[in-house]
């Protein structure tokens, strides 16, 4: 579904991605783990067209997307929940969700998706008229994921969804991620620092170090791998 | 104290404030979305007035009734000003989207000087008489000693423009996209919003309200010249800052407060220091409320 071929990208003057090749298949959950500053977020931003690619190629369903502006890439069905959630602080919860439907015109579908979200997160329904900036961290993460669902993505990129959340909320969020993957056949590309959690839900994982992919295997095998255990699981 | 004099000053200030509000909206909307003080905005207002003059002269010569002339000249002014606003953004600001803010500001000042001199060369440096486009409404006769028909026209047009603008910003897709873009540009792009288009739309809307202000005030005062945008622009900028730059209701409130301040101080104290009062007031407000009357205080959350 999504293919990265020898992608290189710079963040200012620093080469954040040195040579990245990845392959995401339809319907799976894959995860990209690595230390701070390894280039995980840059990888997602490059896929979305926010960080320009220096060389290499990104293909989505066989189509080259690395020359497209971000809004065209979203229109193809790729959506990202960026790190830090990026809720519009002065828009209400409802308006935030509305922004997710910016490119859609199917009224019935939008209504159905909204009902789906409110059954996933009854909390958001209660707070629909509250300004996004006044929500708690966990609620903001729920809103960010919901807003992404409203774009009806076929590929959902999630950047550090557990960041700054209490463990119980994190588990809730991860259950929802699995549910979205199962209910809607949405392909999930998960970037996480919490490697243990991420590898447990993922079908496959990639390990990233200093702008390079150093390892790739199934989630289970990576969890059992000695190097991964030492470096990322703290065992 | 003479009550009638007071009401005259009150409505005089309200009229003046409405015009400032129409121009201040453009400043505050553009600032809200790209954090730029668009110094060339006063020139858009001036171009609106000039377009209004040219079209209304032609139409009056063709023998059209005053009210039709006003509507058509106003529409032409809006179209022209919007075209200028759109083009200005594309050539002077868009290439500098990722440049330091100071560069864009210099570009804005350059654009302002360029447009002034362009109109100076293309038209004239003299004051040009502007025909009074608003007829004396007969039904308004009994009240015209407090509020003249042209003033009534300015007030009611401003109210209509404000209502339309509120609907646009609050409820339409493009309006919501404008608010979202002003709050978080990257996230807006990640949701499929074409940020460049939204910025262009903001310039177009701001230019349209400035053009309406330009035609109304020119018709009210009766003369225009190429320099009129400068002082009006500065005043509207003051109004926008006073109300809290980036806030639309703030711009309107700031403009009204400024209009009243000028009107009452000149009416009761002296007309020699009209502009001084406005700026003294600005300084006082900013000492106590640095982010303006309705401005959001800048809390950086990481």
């Amino acid at each position: 579904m999504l293919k990265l071929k020898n992608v290189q990208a710079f963040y200012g003057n620093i080469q954040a991605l040195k040579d990245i090749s990845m392959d995401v298949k339809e319907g799976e959950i894959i995860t990209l783990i690595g230390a701070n500053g390894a280039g995980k977020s840059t990888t997602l931003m490059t896929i979305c067209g926010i960080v320009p690619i220096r060389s290499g190629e990104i293909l989505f369903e066989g189509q080259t997307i690395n020359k497209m502006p971000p809004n065209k890439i979203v229109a193809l069905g790729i959506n990202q929940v960026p790190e830090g959630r990026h809720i519009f602080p002065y828009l209400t919860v409802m308006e935030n969700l509305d922004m997710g439907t910016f490119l859609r015109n199917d009224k019935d579908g939008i209504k159905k998706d909204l009902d789906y979200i409110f059954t996933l997160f009854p909390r958001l329904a209660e707070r629909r008229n509250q300004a996004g900036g006044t929500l708690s961290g966990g609620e903001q993460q729920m809103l960010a994921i919901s807003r992404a669902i409203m774009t009806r993505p076929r590929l959902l990129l999630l950047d550090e969804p557990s960041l700054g959340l209490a463990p119980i909320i994190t588990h809730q969020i991860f259950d929802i991620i699995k549910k979205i993957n199962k209910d809607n056949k949405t392909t999930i590309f998960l970037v996480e620092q919490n490697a243990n959690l991420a590898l447990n839900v993922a079908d496959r994982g990639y390990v990233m170090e200093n702008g390079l992919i150093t390892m790739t295997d199934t989630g289970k095998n990576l969890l059992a791998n000695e190097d991964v255990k030492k470096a990322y699981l703290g065992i | 104290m003479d009550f009638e004099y007071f009401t005259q000053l009150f409505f005089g200030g309200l009229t003046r404030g409405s015009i400032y509000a129409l121009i201040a909206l453009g400043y505050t909307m553009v600032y809200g979305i790209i954090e730029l003080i668009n110094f060339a905005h006063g020139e858009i207002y001036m171009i609106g007035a000039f377009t209004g003059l040219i079209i209304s002269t032609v139409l009056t010569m063709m023998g059209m009734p005053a009210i039709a002339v006003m509507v058509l000249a106003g529409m032409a002014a809006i179209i022209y000003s919007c075209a200028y606003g759109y083009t200005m953004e594309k050539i002077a600001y868009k290439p500098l989207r990722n440049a330091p803010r100071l560069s864009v500001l210099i570009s804005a000042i350059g654009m302002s000087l360029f447009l002034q001199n362009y109109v100076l060369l293309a038209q004239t440096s003299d004051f040009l008489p502007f025909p009074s486009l608003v007829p004396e409404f007969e039904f308004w006769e009994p009240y015209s000693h407090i509020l003249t028909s042209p003033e009534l026209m300015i007030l009611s047009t401003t109210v209509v423009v404000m209502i339309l603008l509120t609907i646009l910003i609050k409820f339409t897709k493009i309006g919501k996209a404008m608010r979202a873009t002003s709050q978080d540009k990257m996230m807006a792009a990640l949701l499929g919003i074409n940020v460049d288009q939204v910025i262009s739309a903001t310039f177009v809307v701001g230019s349209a309200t400035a053009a309406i202000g330009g035609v109304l005030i020119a018709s009210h005062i009766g003369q225009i010249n190429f320099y009129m945008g400068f002082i009006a622009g500065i005043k509207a900028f003051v109004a926008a800052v006073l109300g809290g730059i980036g806030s639309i209701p703030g711009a309107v409130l700031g403009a009204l407060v400024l209009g009243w301040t000028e009107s009452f101080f000149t009416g009761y104290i002296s007309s020699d220091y009209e502009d001084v009062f406005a700026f003294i007031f600005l300084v006082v407000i900013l000492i106590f409320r640095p982010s303006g009357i309705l401005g959001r205080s800048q809390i950086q959350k990481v």
Side-chain angles (χ1 to χ4, degrees), chain A residues 74 86 90 95 98 102, chain B residues 173 176 179 183-184 296:
Chain A
V74 176
H86 288 261
Y90 302 109
E95 285 171 333
D98 263 2
F102 188 77
Chain B
K173 211 164 192 178
K176 282 184 205 166
R179 283 189 289 151
Q183 290 169 33
D184 194 333
R296 292 177 185 131

Side-chain angles (χ1 to χ4, degrees), chain B residues 60-130:
Chain B
T60 311
M61 280 198 309
M62 286 163 59
M64 277 202 178
I67 200 88
V69 171
M70 188 183 65
V71 171
L72 290 175
M75 274 170 21
I78 290 172
I79 292 166
Y80 234 76
S81 289
C82 288
Y84 272 93
Y86 179 84
T87 316
M88 178 167 79
E89 194 272 324
K90 282 274 176 287
I91 59 178
Y93 306 140
K94 189 170 175 244
L96 297 172
R97 192 64 42 82
N98 297 316
R101 270 159 74 179
L102 196 59
S103 317
V104 196
L105 199 66
I106 302 289
S107 184
I109 293 170
M111 202 66 207
S112 164
L113 290 174
F114 170 77
L115 286 175
Q116 274 177 29
N117 288 286
Y118 159 73
V119 174
L120 169 70
L121 289 175
Q123 299 292 327
T124 167
S125 64
D126 300 331
F127 275 95
L128 297 173
F130 198 101

